[in-house]
Amino acid sequence: MSVEFKKNGNGKCPVMHGSMTEQSTPTHWWPKNLNLDILHQHDTKTNPMNKGFDYRNEVKKLNFKSVKKDLLKLMTDSQEWWPADLGHYGGLFIRMAWHSAGTYRIADGRGGSGTGNHRFAPLNSWPDNTNLDKARRLLWPIKKKYGNRLSWADLMILAGNMAYESMGLKMYGFSFGREDIWHPEKDVYWGSEKEWLQDKRYSNNGERSSLANPLAAVVMGLIYVNPEGVDGKSDPLRTAHDVRETFGRMAMNDVETCALTVGGHSVGRAHGNGDASLLGPEPEAGEIHEQGFGWNKKGGGGLGVNQVTSGIEGAWTTHPNKWDDTYLKLLLDYEWELKKSPAGANQWEPINMKTEDKPRDLADPKIKRNPIMTDADMAMKMDPSYRKISEDFRKDHKYLKESFTKAWFKLTHRDMGPRKYYIGPDSPKEDLIWQDPVPKGNKKFNISKAKKLIEASGLKNSELISTAWDSARTYRRTDCRGGANGARINLLPQKNWEGNEPEKLKKVIKKLEKIANKVNASLSDIIVLAGNVGLEKSIAKAGFKTKVPFSPGRGDATQDQTDIDSFKVLEPLHDAFRNWVKEEYVVTPEEMMLDRASLMNLTAKEMTVLVGGMRVLDTNHGQTKHGVFTNKPGALTNDFFVNLTDMNFVWKPLSKNLYEIVNRKSKKTKFTATRVDLVFGSNSILRAYSEVYAQDDNKEKFVNDFVKVWTKIMNADRRELKRLN
């Protein structure tokens, strides 16, 4: 127990303070230590709900009409503590929904609106999210009323939808089913910057496409781009490059990007009618008496007319509380010049605009004010591609409406997985290609017959296991993409991925397709079943008899149902479980393994079990022998852990990612290994797990644990099944 002193000269007594109550841990002393905490976030201990609580079941009991009615009423129920613009909260709630969903990034599926993470740091305190803490508090009475049947994650997005509906725009649809988390994610990389709005994420700042992966925003603390221009300097054409790059990383094409920009700024307004330097700290930095609010104006005030949010001041359209066609009319018909807001921000204002086209002043409706445009708005006018799309939208407002509502739906639902898991009466019935649709499969085929045909196929156990693994390993929990369902491993682009060993894959698939046809099963089911067959035979070689669970019903997707460009981001550049790295990267193989394990929703124990099992099963990419610490390859033994922890061996590096395992006495090389093999013996936490499985009394436990996590991976993309956690 430590004795802490306050070093501020106030004469306060020391206090016995033995716990680490601030964000600091002993492992911070060794920065290269693996952050295994990312595998253990959102544990049951952090969840306040009762054991067995299932939000997806609870939300189905929600009175959907009543919630929507209450939200519509809230839109115009202005509160004194945070007044609504012109009596309407629509713009505020749209911005909240947008910024909640807009953190999604296609590279790793992280971010997005699916978890309600907008309530927590860093997002609740991002400069770009200034005053969205007020939007969430305005929603509290509705959340309080509907309780467990309505998650914050669902409510924040639904509020944005209802805001548009209250302004006259019929939305494409909405699905419930987002489940709240209870603390900030530990696995999301937001950037290397140490200060807000720093620009440290470009390897070549002159080439804006050099933005580091998987990031989407241009600087720390922004959702997308700087509204004042690149690095705060107005240049609409350069901003257009940033917009295209960042929205592309959010899975949007040019039409969707333009539609979202136009549709997003067709309602609402920006706030910068004051001195931004007078704003207090963000929510996470505020004192207790601030009530969890941030950005409060020092000395009070800062509400309504005098609010400072983005720093930009004004509305984009003539009628900011109404969905209409004035945004493009004003943007394209008038010339614009660069001005400064009262807060000192860069903004564009019109030259010689007609009075009737100007929006009303917030404080005095009799007064008309200039509308404004940001650099991103001007990009829609000056970039040739965006200009063409904007002109098309101007000519056909129905086209804009359809494009925007579908793009908005994609923005707010991209991380929710397949359409079959949508909940609620407003869920669209249309299959959209970005949802990775998969047809239903046949659940009633003869499994026993299929297993016999697989056994007689002449395929090696390692081939069966590795093919099933390659098919399933693409799944990522972040946006529910990938996985074995759909058999997309047999389609472009996956069938040609280097990590899938195309030639071997072609041979295996050819034989499994024939079996699938004979028993009237989907190829995806047969691939998984074949992996199970190979695993059961390998277990038998180890002297145990364990049945591997199998749940039929997977379907086979077609090439037309597969967006090749979208699936490219799922290509494995490494696979620690099959001991393969495509090339040498700045990030170490063990760190990449940790990231992949996190995306696959594995715990550290499960990751350990999988690596140890896959090695002795002889499933290495290219059939290399690195890490195959056994004299009985193909049998599911605990030999990997036995030899890894054996102090009769010494490890000798041959290169950055290759080692010899040498007998101390004889000096003879017994095995070879990579970094992802040896980290399970060198990292103190992972070694603790490895020692468990190396014990003589845990051979059967290892087999059972491997089967359990194998089944979890094979079924990860099937929410209709009760998942093994």
Side-chain angles (χ1 to χ4, degrees), residues 450-464 507-508 511-512 515 530 533 537:
K451 290 179 76 171
K452 288 177 182 177
L453 290 169
I454 292 166
E455 289 176 359
S457 67
L459 293 169
K460 299 176 184 176
N461 292 340
S462 61
E463 292 174 326
L464 300 175
K507 179 189 76 172
V508 174
K511 290 190 176 185
L512 295 185
I515 295 171
V533 169
K537 291 172 74 175

Side-chain angles (χ1 to χ4, degrees), residues 520-538:
N520 193 28
S522 66
L523 177 61
S524 54
D525 262 346
I526 295 301
I527 289 172
V528 172
L529 183 62
N532 287 9
V533 169
L535 183 53
E536 287 177 353
K537 291 172 74 175
S538 298

Side-chain angles (χ1 to χ4, degrees), residues 474-520:
T474 53
Y475 179 77
R476 52 191 199 188
R477 58 165 177 81
T478 49
D479 56 1
C480 305
R481 298 195 69 206
N485 198 9
R488 285 191 166 92
I489 195 171
N490 191 40
L491 303 173
L492 292 172
Q494 294 190 34
K495 68 179 184 179
N496 291 334
W497 287 346
E498 184 179 339
N500 289 341
E501 298 180 276
E503 288 304 313
K504 184 206 73 175
L505 177 64
K506 187 177 179 181
K507 179 189 76 172
V508 174
I509 292 295
K510 188 176 180 181
K511 290 190 176 185
L512 295 185
E513 276 185 321
K514 289 180 180 178
I515 295 171
N517 291 331
K518 283 182 180 178
V519 298
N520 193 28

Side-chain angles (χ1 to χ4, degrees), residues 313-334:
E313 170 62 26
W316 287 272
T317 64
T318 312
H319 309 289
N321 291 346
K322 180 183 177 183
W323 171 265
D324 58 24
D325 61 354
T326 59
Y327 173 89
L328 285 172
K329 173 187 173 184
L330 302 187
L331 177 68
L332 300 177
D333 287 357
Y334 286 97

Side-chain angles (χ1 to χ4, degrees), residues 52-103:
F53 175 81
D54 187 335
Y55 174 67
R56 291 186 57 82
N57 286 333
E58 286 299 307
V59 74
K60 293 173 183 176
K61 306 171 188 175
L62 184 67
N63 188 328
F64 301 113
K65 288 184 178 180
S66 178
V67 173
K68 290 167 67 175
K69 185 178 178 182
D70 285 351
L71 280 169
L72 284 173
K73 183 180 178 182
L74 176 63
M75 295 299 157
T76 52
D77 186 16
S78 185
Q79 301 295 305
E80 187 178 345
W81 62 268
W82 196 257
D85 292 343
L86 302 173
H88 203 295
Y89 285 120
L92 180 65
F93 287 136
I94 287 167
R95 178 168 163 255
M96 176 192 63
W98 184 294
H99 283 217
S100 177
T103 56

